[in-house]
Amino acid sequence: MPKRSIRADDLLRIIAVGDPQISPDGERILFSRKHVNEKNKSVANLYSVGLDGAVTQWTQGDGGVGHGRWSPDGSQIAFISGREKPSQQIYLIPVGGGEAFAITELPEGSIGGFRWSPDGTKIAFLFREQHPDRTEKAQKEREEKGLSTPPWEIDTVWYRLDGDGYFGNQRYKLYIFDIAGKKTLCTYDAAPDGNYSFDWSPNSKEVVVIHTASKHPFIDPPNMQLYLVGLDGKGTKLKGLLKGDKGEPRWSPNGKWIAFAGDIDEEDPWGTRNTKIYVVKPEGGEPRDLTGLQDFDMAVATLSD
């Protein structure tokens, strides 16, 4: 069959799969499947495929589903959905059968990802609440009164982002959430830019969080640091780390090390830099470079105007 060039209408037939997650027992892979429906709306749902090739569909509808994650014991799947508009919530669905149900009751806003605690009793997630003047309820009230949309009031250069839109002065915060009690144990919002990466300790009693230590992160050179945040929301900075870019922390299974990606170059935040892998003890100290002096870069990105 002769090949032809792709056409615009082909985009409506393309099915995209991604975000694969291996189940704790290694028997299945959870993934997202996205297609365009008859209303030209992009719709994503969760599926899994077993070693025998059998496919299971876990969610349905066009409400939008993403970030599916197995619970540590494999008995549940947590995911983010906006099916109950206008707010996104974190849902759980039992693997053994049953309907999905929301465990959070968040106001209108954006969830920036989550991680299960190793004991399966808690979830840490990022959430940025919508500005009160920008909620759907506020918009309807203005329309009923014939009022115009209020202007954005900003006092920082970080007020919009490609793929994210305008968020003004609203910022992500880190929430630690108790699943059984359906309650927030604490929040953490020490970063002025609201950018965090994090991971649970093996004993589920604290979270390692990476965020900027600068009060003016878009003016000062890169100074990302590691913090240990307990279930009370109090953070302690690890000592001994140099300035530079850092991210994606991961605790070792035995709890003796914390690995992270980064560099010690604070001179040029937008220039060419080699991202390396470091490990440091949870009590702090000088980190060890696992990459060595070789010209290896553990990241890849392109950016051009």
Side-chain angles (χ1 to χ4, degrees), residues 26-299:
E27 296 293 321
R28 288 184 283 190
I29 298 177
L30 181 70
F31 62 93
S32 66
R33 179 184 185 276
K34 184 183 294 185
H35 72 282
V36 178
N37 65 11
E38 62 278 1
K39 297 180 181 179
N40 290 336
K41 179 181 179 181
S42 180
V43 177
N45 279 292
L46 296 179
Y47 291 74
S48 68
V49 59
L51 296 179
D52 58 357
V55 176
T56 302
Q57 182 174 353
W58 294 101
T59 63
Q60 299 181 9
D62 57 3
V65 172
H67 203 74
R69 296 293 184 270
W70 301 98
S71 63
D73 63 0
S75 65
Q76 301 180 93
I77 296 172
F79 61 89
I80 299 171
S81 177
R83 58 179 63 183
E84 297 296 333
K85 296 181 179 181
S87 303
Q88 286 188 330
Q89 305 294 343
I90 298 177
Y91 287 77
L92 292 183
I93 185 170
V95 172
E99 293 293 326
F101 58 94
I103 60 172
T104 58
E105 295 182 355
L106 299 170
E108 189 171 340
S110 172
I111 300 175
F114 65 82
R115 295 185 71 88
W116 285 90
S117 64
D119 64 5
T121 64
K122 297 174 284 291
I123 283 179
F125 65 91
L126 299 177
F127 178 71
R128 183 183 65 211
E129 186 173 351
Q130 179 66 283
H131 191 284
D133 290 343
R134 303 287 167 170
T135 64
E136 290 192 8
K137 179 181 179 182
Q139 181 179 348
K140 290 180 180 179
E141 291 177 350
R142 287 195 300 270
E143 291 175 352
E144 293 173 354
K145 297 178 182 180
L147 301 178
S148 61
T149 301
W152 281 104
E153 297 181 15
I154 59 174
D155 55 17
T156 172
V157 298
W158 184 250
Y159 65 95
R160 64 177 180 174
L161 183 66
D162 291 345
D164 200 7
Y166 287 80
F167 43 80
N169 288 332
Q170 302 301 100
R171 296 291 181 267
Y172 279 107
K173 299 178 182 180
L174 176 67
Y175 291 70
I176 297 180
F177 186 81
D178 176 70
I179 297 174
K182 290 187 176 182
K183 63 179 180 180
T184 298
L185 299 178
C186 69
T187 59
Y188 182 76
D189 61 347
D193 59 359
N195 288 324
Y196 305 91
S197 55
F198 58 94
D199 190 39
W200 280 97
S201 64
N203 62 11
S204 301
K205 293 183 178 180
E206 57 187 344
V207 180
V208 58
V209 184
I210 295 181
H211 64 79
T212 181
S214 171
K215 294 182 179 180
H216 306 286
F218 298 101
I219 300 176
D220 299 334
N223 185 15
M224 304 294 284
Q225 297 292 325
L226 275 68
Y227 299 80
L228 298 185
V229 179
L231 301 182
D232 58 359
K234 297 180 180 180
T236 302
K237 180 182 174 182
L238 269 67
K239 297 180 179 180
L241 299 181
L242 297 175
K243 294 182 179 181
D245 200 17
K246 302 176 186 68
E248 299 301 322
R250 292 296 183 269
W251 223 300
S252 66
N254 61 10
K256 294 183 178 180
W257 298 95
I258 297 172
F260 62 91
D263 59 56
I264 58 174
D265 179 14
E266 57 173 309
E267 298 302 323
D268 185 1
W270 296 108
T272 302
R273 58 204 311 140
N274 279 356
T275 299
K276 299 182 178 182
I277 302 298
Y278 296 84
V279 291
V280 65
K281 291 184 178 296
E283 57 268 24
E286 184 177 356
R288 179 154 54 97
D289 177 9
L290 300 184
T291 316
L293 298 176
Q294 299 94 336
D295 190 20
F296 293 155
D297 187 4
M298 305 304 293

